[in-house]
């Protein structure tokens, strides 16, 4: 990765953080709790984005950030009062800024009218008395692309001019750390220079003050540089010195016009340089060193410090290390192997007859603890706080409340809870949908809320927490709660359940997750129809997560997502089929059953089982995976009811259930090849490989399709 | 002997940029996150030049320059102010607390090196 690419990466990473702090600050401004440091940090965030964007030539981003920053500057300087009164414009600006950053990073381009509309809104906020009010003219901000391989100076072959420069520093020049020798040396890089030092004002040594300047210089420079380039050399000191620059060119031109600077002939610098001239140098860097030092010599302790500093060379190194995600994943994989290895050792110990208090066992226990600690630490590298995701939801809430006309306040808690990076990324879509749903369907309109005696402003609460080795994210609203009567009515109308089904409140709520379910009679243009909670559920399941609902009529609903801390480890149930061990992901298991003969039925060649009046196909796992011929007696087995990500239910027959544990996932495709019915593999404590069942595989779901039509016939007949 | 530069900026992007651009140009670069951090690193780094941002948390550029100018060892070290704010009032204020010169962001390497060459040989 080139330097430029790596800085670019840093820029976008930093933008994310800055946008976060911008959001935080705006929340405080919105609530009228912002102090001056908060407002300054908001300004700084936009300012830094502008600064970085300028270096990369992201012009759209720069120009919008500039306008945004100008308004923030007004707020910061107290020229613009009550920022909470136009918080919506600030929020929209923050959103647009975020979108422009995304666009710069290679995302979707932003329609120009969006930017121009918002800019005119920002301009309209501008107080007329502000020195910034003529900002249109001031926007001469010319971004310059950042280049690494520029030659320092390009040789433009133009004609040489002889300049005469008179330079008399004032004492103040040294107070700010400027130095004559440096300036003269810089000047000498522009061409051939003859420098004459005037020491006529130099007092006797007894009264000489070392920090005062008694010298002045006359320089004759023969150079192709423009007069501006020469002036640039003195840019930092123009107010701390007397400077006169004239050229032979000027002398020629100036004969017609009244000269601003008297031509050298009429006011020759040599007048100033009188008989006292004692030193004359052809310019040459080394000789310049001989100019008497005008600065007090540095104290002697400098030297010892210099030594120390070379030891602490890394003192200023960045506090973070950027590492390729692949490397971390490799490490996680290796740790996974270590976990397996440790489990194998434990197994060996159990098989041996070593006493429990032997050193070996103590060592083994320590290894176990250490392995777990190492695993946790490595997982933590991939972990990121949910804060950024939650803050993105603030925007969703704003948009949703604007679209529905509902007044909504978003509360956030546990935002520092950390989740695996990939999990976090893949959580964005389902969470967005849930938050939209909560505003759209969960909360009542302000009028309805008033009737129920609630404050008109509804509350959406996003909470994250670690609970028993998993991350739990709750999306709660203080709305009316799920209207169960209507849910049941819809489900019956859509043939999802039968009239006679007697569902508990929880079972009723769970109907929301069925594909195609939608209770809102009016299709809202926000949540829409079609993309329902079933899609949310499959996305969560794909992450090895579960989703559940808790709803109280009149008080609101909470949708809870429970997620694994990482995707590298899976909660699985180890089962046995025909002497083979298999793993079934816990997230897919609904329940386990010990069947009796009466439960089983056949439709054609397909065995099915009735579970609460639903026909569920039964899969003889041992047979379908090719481990053994079809079973004669199904009742000797254990049935496990599974559900695919898309909500298709089926039951698998296994010989025995061993235990439930965390397993390290090993890719099959990489190490072996595709195996029908298996998503991946894992290594068990005894060193044996076990396949992890994929409940979404066509091998199982195909059965469902085969019986769907038949079962309908049974149900109807 | 490489010249040492202490670059003080609260933006990581800017610090990275300064770090690479100046290292490329043959300087030895140390970075600090804000004025406070800059002061803490000052004596260890013993810079030949300091480049500092103005608007920073904890201790801003003005405060930082003031403190550096009070330090016996670094009273005369050249300090370049790095800022997007080209407003003259800011330059004036920076000058009044002791800044040597300024670099207006966004800068390119040429601008950056040229500014440094005007304050340190």
């Amino acid at each position: 990765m080139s330097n430029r690419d790596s800085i670019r990466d840093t820029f976008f990473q930093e933008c994310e953080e800055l946008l976060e702090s911008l959001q935080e600050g705006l929340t405080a401004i919105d609530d009228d709790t912002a102090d001056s440091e908060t407002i300054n940090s908001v300004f700084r965030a936009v300012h830094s984005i502008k600064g970085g964007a300028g270096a990369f030539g992201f012009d759209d981003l720069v120009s919008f950030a500039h306008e945004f920053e100008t308004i923030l500057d007004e707020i910061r300087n107290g020229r613009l009062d009550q920022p909470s009164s136009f918080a919506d414009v600030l929020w929209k600006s923050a959103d647009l800024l975020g979108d422009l950053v995304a666009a710069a990073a290679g995302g979707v381009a932003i329609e120009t009218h969006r930017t121009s509309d918002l800019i005119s809104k920002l301009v309209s906020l501008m107080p007329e008395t502000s020195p910034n009010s003529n900002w249109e003219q001031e926007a001469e901000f010319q971004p310059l692309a950042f280049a690494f391989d520029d030659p320092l100076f390009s040789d433009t072959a133009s004609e040489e001019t002889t300049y005469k420069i008179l330079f008399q520093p004032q004492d103040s020049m040294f107070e700010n750390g400027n130095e004559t020798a440096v300036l003269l040396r810089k000047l000498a890089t522009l061409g051939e220079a003859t420098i004459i030092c005037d020491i006529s004002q130099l007092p006797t040594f007894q009264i000489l003050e070392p920090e005062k300047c008694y010298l002045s210089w006359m320089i004759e420079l023969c150079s192709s540089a423009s007069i501006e380039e020469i002036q640039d050399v003195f840019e930092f000191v123009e107010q701390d010195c007397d400077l006169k620059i004239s050229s032979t060119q000027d002398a020629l031109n100036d004969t017609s016009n009244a000269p601003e600077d008297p031509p050298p002939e009429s006011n020759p610098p040599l007048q100033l340089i009188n008989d006292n001239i004692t030193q004359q140098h052809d310019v040459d860097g080394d000789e310049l060193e001989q100019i008497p030092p005008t600065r007090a010599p540095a104290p002697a302790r400098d030297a010892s410090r210099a030594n120390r500093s070379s030891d602490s060379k890394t003192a200023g190194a960045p506090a973070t290390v950027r590492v390729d995600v692949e490397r971390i994943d490799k490490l996680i994989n290796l740790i996974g192997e270590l976990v397996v290895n440790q489990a194998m050792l434990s197994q060996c110990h159990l098989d041996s007859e070593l006493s429990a208090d032997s050193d070996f066992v103590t060592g083994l226990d320590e290894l176990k603890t250490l392995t777990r600690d190492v695993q946790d630490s490595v997982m933590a590298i991939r972990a990121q706080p949910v804060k950024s995701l939650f803050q993105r939801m603030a925007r969703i809430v704003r948009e949703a409340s604007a679209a529905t006309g509902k007044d909504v306040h978003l509360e956030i808690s546990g935002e520092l809870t950390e989740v695996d990076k990939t999990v976090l990324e893949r959580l964005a879509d389902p969470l967005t949908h849930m938050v939209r749903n909560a505003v759209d369907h969960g909360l009542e309109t302000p009028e309805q809320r008033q009737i129920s005696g609630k404050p008109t402003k509804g509350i959406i609460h996003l909470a994250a927490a670690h609970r028993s080795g998993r991350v739990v994210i709750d999306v709660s609203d203080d709305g009316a709660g799920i209207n169960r009567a209507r849910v049941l009515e819809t489900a019956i109308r859509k043939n999802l359940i039968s009239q006679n089904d007697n569902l508990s409140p929880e079972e009723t709520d769970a109907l929301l997750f069925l594909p195609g379910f939608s209770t809102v009679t009016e299709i809202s243009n926000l949540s829409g129809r079609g993309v329902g909670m079933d899609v949310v559920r499959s996305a969560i399941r794909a992450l090895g997560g579960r989703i559940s609902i808790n709803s109280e009529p009149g008080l609101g609903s909470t949708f809870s997502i429970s997620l694994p801390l990482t995707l590298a480890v899976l909660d699985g149930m180890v089962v046995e089929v025909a002497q083979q061990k298999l793993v079934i992901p816990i997230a897919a298991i609904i329940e386990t059953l010990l069947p009796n003969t009466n439960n089983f039925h056949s439709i054609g060649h397909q065995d099915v089982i009735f579970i609460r009046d639903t026909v569920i196909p039964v899969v003889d796992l041992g047979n379908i995976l090719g481990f053994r011929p079809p079973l004669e007696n199904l009742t000797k087995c254990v049935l496990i009811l599974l559900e695919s990500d898309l909500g298709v239910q089926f039951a698998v027959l296994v010989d025995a259930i061993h235990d439930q544990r965390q397993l390290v996932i090993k890719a099959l495709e990489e190490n072996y090849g595709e195996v029908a019915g298996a998503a991946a593999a894992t290594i068990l404590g005894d060193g044996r490989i076990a396949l992890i069942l994929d409940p979404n595989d066509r091998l199982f779901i195909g059965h469902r399709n085969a019986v769907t039509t038949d079962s309908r016939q049974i149900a109807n007949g | 002997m490489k010249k040492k530069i202490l670059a003080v900026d609260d933006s990581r992007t800017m610090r990275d940029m300064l770090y690479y651009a100046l290292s490329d140009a043959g300087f030895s670069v140390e970075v600090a996150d804000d004025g406070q951090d800059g002061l803490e690193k000052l004596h260890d780094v013993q810079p030949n030049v300091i480049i500092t941002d103005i608007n920073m948390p904890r201790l801003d550029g003005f405060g930082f320059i003031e403190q550096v100018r009070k330090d016996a060892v670094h009273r005369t070290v050249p300090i370049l102010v790095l800022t997007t704010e080209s407003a003259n009032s800011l330059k004036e204020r920076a000058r009044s607390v002791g800044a040597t010169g300024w670099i207006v962001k966004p800068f390119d390497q040429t601008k950056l090196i040229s500014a440094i060459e005007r304050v340190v040989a």
Side-chain angles (χ1 to χ4, degrees):
Chain A
M1 198 189 281
S2 75
N3 285 348
R4 196 186 156 85
D5 287 348
S6 117
I7 298 174
R8 207 182 121 107
D9 281 1
T10 307
F11 170 66
F12 286 118
Q13 276 170 20
E14 190 175 22
C15 276
E16 255 172 57
E17 290 157 26
L18 292 169
L19 287 168
E20 257 176 44
S21 94
L22 175 62
Q23 299 251 2
E24 248 168 60
L26 286 186
T27 309
I29 288 176
D30 211 350
D31 300 344
D32 268 331
T33 55
D35 55 12
S36 64
E37 179 45 34
T38 313
I39 293 175
N40 201 7
S41 76
V42 168
F43 173 85
R44 229 171 13 236
V46 179
H47 185 71
S48 291
I49 291 176
K50 179 177 113 174
F56 289 102
F58 299 136
D59 298 354
D60 292 351
L61 182 53
V62 170
S63 52
F64 182 72
H66 180 73
E67 308 291 355
F68 191 11
E69 178 196 74
T70 312
I71 276 296
L72 293 171
D73 190 34
E74 292 301 304
I75 300 173
R76 187 171 68 136
N77 292 326
R79 285 191 290 263
L80 204 51
D81 282 342
Q82 298 243 301
S84 58
S85 63
F86 49 85
D88 58 321
V89 180
L90 299 179
W91 276 118
K92 280 193 182 129
S93 301
D95 291 345
L96 179 60
L97 194 70
D99 290 347
L100 285 166
V101 167
V108 187
I110 308 298
E111 302 99 338
T112 43
H113 73 84
R114 224 184 116 194
T115 314
S116 52
D117 288 358
L118 207 46
I119 287 180
S120 43
K121 273 192 193 141
L122 286 170
V123 172
S124 69
L125 289 173
M126 199 70 196
E128 276 173 24
T129 50
S130 160
N132 281 325
S133 56
N134 59 342
W135 69 6
E136 303 287 352
Q137 297 138 32
E138 203 241 323
E140 30 72 350
F141 188 83
Q142 280 298 320
L144 270 169
F146 189 67
F148 279 96
D149 39 12
D150 279 356
L152 288 190
F153 294 100
S154 55
D155 297 46
T156 40
S158 61
E159 250 173 65
E160 295 210 331
T161 315
T162 305
Y163 296 95
K164 291 226 162 109
I165 302 157
L166 263 172
F167 175 48
Q168 182 163 27
Q170 294 159 6
D171 302 341
S172 59
M173 201 185 98
F174 305 125
E175 283 161 17
N176 278 17
N178 276 298
E179 206 180 323
T180 318
V182 175
L183 292 170
L184 294 179
R185 207 164 288 163
K186 175 75 183 166
L187 199 62
T189 62
L190 297 178
E192 200 176 308
T194 311
I195 300 178
I196 300 164
C197 179
D198 173 8
I199 57 166
S200 60
Q201 304 301 312
L202 203 60
T204 57
F205 190 71
Q206 281 76 11
I207 57 164
L208 183 136
E209 285 184 45
E211 292 193 7
K212 279 200 177 302
C213 186
Y214 303 100
L215 306 173
S216 58
W217 285 266
M218 203 279 281
I219 306 116
E220 204 172 87
L221 177 71
C222 188
S223 164
S224 57
S226 67
I227 192 147
E228 288 78 21
E229 280 174 79
I230 295 170
Q231 276 163 346
D232 270 357
V233 173
F234 296 98
E235 185 192 2
F236 300 153
V237 298
E238 2 182 73
Q239 296 178 50
D240 300 310
C241 70
D242 292 326
L243 182 70
K244 282 185 181 137
I245 306 173
S246 55
S247 67
T248 45
Q249 207 76 37
D250 287 344
L252 293 173
N253 296 341
D254 284 350
T255 47
S256 54
N257 298 326
E260 203 172 286
D261 285 342
E265 288 80 10
S266 65
N267 185 10
L270 287 173
Q271 262 184 3
L272 197 139
I273 301 158
N274 55 27
D275 306 341
N276 289 335
I277 294 173
T278 54
Q279 292 191 17
Q280 176 161 351
H281 293 275
D282 282 337
V283 151
D284 179 325
D286 295 336
E287 284 180 51
L288 267 171
E289 300 284 354
Q290 295 166 15
I291 291 177
T294 47
R295 281 165 46 170
R301 57 186 165 148
D302 264 21
S304 64
R305 285 241 168 74
N307 287 342
R308 243 194 327 138
S309 94
S310 62
D311 292 336
S312 56
K313 234 181 186 157
T314 49
T320 51
V321 180
R322 230 172 281 130
V323 181
D324 204 329
V325 177
E326 257 177 49
R327 289 197 194 179
I328 296 175
D329 288 348
K330 190 172 178 196
L331 186 61
I332 289 181
N333 239 322
L334 286 172
I335 304 286
E337 309 254 351
L338 188 66
V339 172
V340 169
N341 211 280
Q342 174 267 316
M344 275 163 72
L345 278 176
S346 298
Q347 188 73 42
C348 289
H349 155 241
L350 286 178
D351 297 346
S352 74
E353 265 142 46
L354 278 172
S355 76
D357 53 359
S358 73
D359 286 351
F360 173 75
V361 177
T362 320
L364 199 62
D365 278 346
E366 273 169 20
L367 178 67
K368 201 172 180 176
T369 319
L370 275 176
T371 315
R372 194 161 304 147
D373 287 352
V374 173
Q375 191 177 21
D376 287 349
S377 315
V378 175
M379 297 301 183
I381 299 178
R382 277 188 60 98
Q384 287 181 336
V386 294
K387 194 174 171 188
S388 58
L389 180 65
F390 276 13
Q391 283 186 340
R392 253 193 281 169
M393 293 305 129
R395 176 176 183 178
I396 305 297
V397 168
R398 279 198 304 281
E399 286 173 353
S401 64
T404 54
K406 294 176 184 174
D407 201 2
V408 189
H409 178 71
L410 176 70
E411 282 176 1
I412 283 174
S413 61
E415 66 269 33
L416 295 179
T417 308
E418 293 190 328
V419 188
D420 180 88
K421 186 175 164 4
T422 313
V423 175
L424 203 60
E425 280 162 7
R426 286 162 60 182
L427 200 57
D429 281 348
L431 197 63
T432 303
H433 199 80
M434 286 166 73
V435 168
R436 260 190 212 142
N437 260 335
V439 176
D440 198 14
H441 305 314
L443 293 177
E444 316 93 322
T445 61
E447 298 77 38
Q448 284 168 331
R449 288 181 69 91
Q450 209 152 25
I451 294 167
S452 352
K454 290 180 181 177
T456 49
K457 198 170 212 171
I459 293 171
I460 302 283
H461 189 110
L462 278 178
H466 281 289
R467 243 173 263 157
S468 53
R470 291 175 76 86
V471 182
V472 179
I473 294 176
D474 291 341
V475 181
S476 321
D477 63 67
D478 69 341
I482 290 168
N483 185 341
R484 295 192 177 113
R486 207 161 78 204
V487 169
L488 286 173
E489 189 192 293
T490 313
I492 293 168
R493 186 160 40 84
K494 296 192 168 179
N495 268 336
L496 297 166
I497 52 167
S498 81
Q499 202 96 44
N500 312 325
D501 280 332
N502 196 4
L503 299 184
S504 68
E506 289 72 33
E507 284 171 322
T508 311
D509 293 346
L511 291 172
L512 292 183
F513 293 123
L514 290 181
F517 190 95
S518 175
T519 53
V520 174
T521 30
E522 237 175 276
I523 302 175
S524 114
N525 59 0
L526 186 64
S527 307
R529 201 198 285 270
V531 183
M533 288 305 289
D534 58 317
V535 177
V536 170
R537 184 173 63 165
S538 30
I540 300 295
R541 282 214 177 143
L543 289 170
R546 297 185 286 263
I547 183 165
S548 59
I549 310 177
N550 190 351
S551 182
E552 288 283 331
L555 296 177
S557 315
T558 298
F559 286 77
S560 296
I561 306 172
S562 155
L563 292 160
L565 288 177
T566 163
L567 293 180
V569 173
L570 170 100
D571 275 319
M573 187 180 267
V574 181
V575 298
E576 191 169 310
V577 180
Q579 281 93 52
Q580 297 279 339
K581 280 185 181 153
L582 291 171
V583 176
I584 300 175
I586 294 286
I589 299 178
I590 299 174
E591 61 184 314
T592 55
L593 310 156
L594 276 175
N596 59 47
T597 357
N598 304 335
N599 296 124
F600 290 105
H601 301 271
S602 282
I603 302 173
H605 294 294
Q606 176 66 52
D607 291 314
V608 297
I609 187 166
F610 279 91
I611 299 175
R612 284 179 292 275
D613 297 334
T614 312
V615 186
I616 308 278
V618 174
V619 177
D620 179 358
L621 214 49
N623 178 37
I624 204 162
L625 293 175
F627 297 162
R628 65 178 170 208
L631 281 176
E632 297 295 321
N633 186 355
L634 304 182
T635 50
K636 278 189 179 166
C637 297
V638 182
L639 260 182
I640 302 178
L641 184 59
L642 302 180
E643 190 174 44
S644 77
D645 290 350
L646 293 171
V648 180
Q649 292 191 356
F650 60 97
V652 292
L653 283 167
V654 302
D655 297 345
I657 292 173
H658 283 284
D659 59 355
Q660 190 181 321
R661 61 174 94 151
Q662 286 215 320
L663 299 143
V664 181
I665 302 170
K666 298 270 164 204
L668 268 176
E669 284 86 352
E670 265 172 47
N671 305 312
Y672 177 69
E674 221 172 290
V675 178
T682 188
I683 302 170
L684 299 174
D686 57 6
R688 285 167 65 185
I689 294 173
L691 295 175
I692 301 174
L693 219 63
D694 179 4
N696 301 308
D697 198 284
R698 279 171 45 201
L699 199 60
F700 310 118
I701 295 182
H703 279 261
R704 171 67 181 187
N705 293 340
V707 289
T708 327
T709 8
D710 296 342
S711 62
R712 287 250 170 79
Q713 282 162 2
I714 291 178
N716 296 337
Chain B
M1 181 69 179
K2 279 186 179 180
K3 293 263 186 280
K4 273 180 289 183
I5 296 183
L6 177 64
V8 189
D9 201 307
D10 61 324
S11 156
R12 206 162 68 226
T13 310
M14 212 44 76
R15 285 199 299 273
D16 270 17
M17 232 176 237
L18 288 167
Y19 183 85
Y20 287 119
L22 295 171
S23 306
D24 266 12
F27 293 98
S28 145
V29 189
E30 302 285 338
V31 293
D33 298 353
D34 54 40
Q36 193 60 46
D37 193 28
L39 280 185
E40 280 157 21
K41 288 178 175 161
L42 190 62
H43 279 269
D44 274 338
V45 178
Q46 296 268 341
N48 300 97
V49 186
I50 295 172
I51 297 178
T52 180
D53 188 25
I54 288 292
N55 197 340
M56 294 182 288
R58 298 209 296 168
L59 179 63
D60 69 7
F62 300 125
F64 172 66
I65 297 170
E66 265 173 346
Q67 294 300 313
V68 175
R69 288 292 177 238
K70 281 184 191 159
D71 182 279
V73 182
H74 299 95
R75 206 157 62 87
T76 54
V77 69
I79 305 176
L80 292 172
V81 170
L82 185 62
T83 174
T84 37
E85 289 149 300
S86 51
N88 279 326
S89 61
L90 276 177
K91 280 185 199 167
E92 265 321 301
R93 196 170 154 208
R95 262 175 44 81
S96 72
V97 294
T100 312
W102 48 87
I103 303 163
V104 179
K105 286 190 270 188
F107 54 85
D108 59 17
Q109 202 183 19
T110 314
K111 256 167 99 176
L112 186 66
I113 304 301
S114 163
I116 293 170
E117 283 180 342
R118 277 177 272 155
V119 296
V120 73

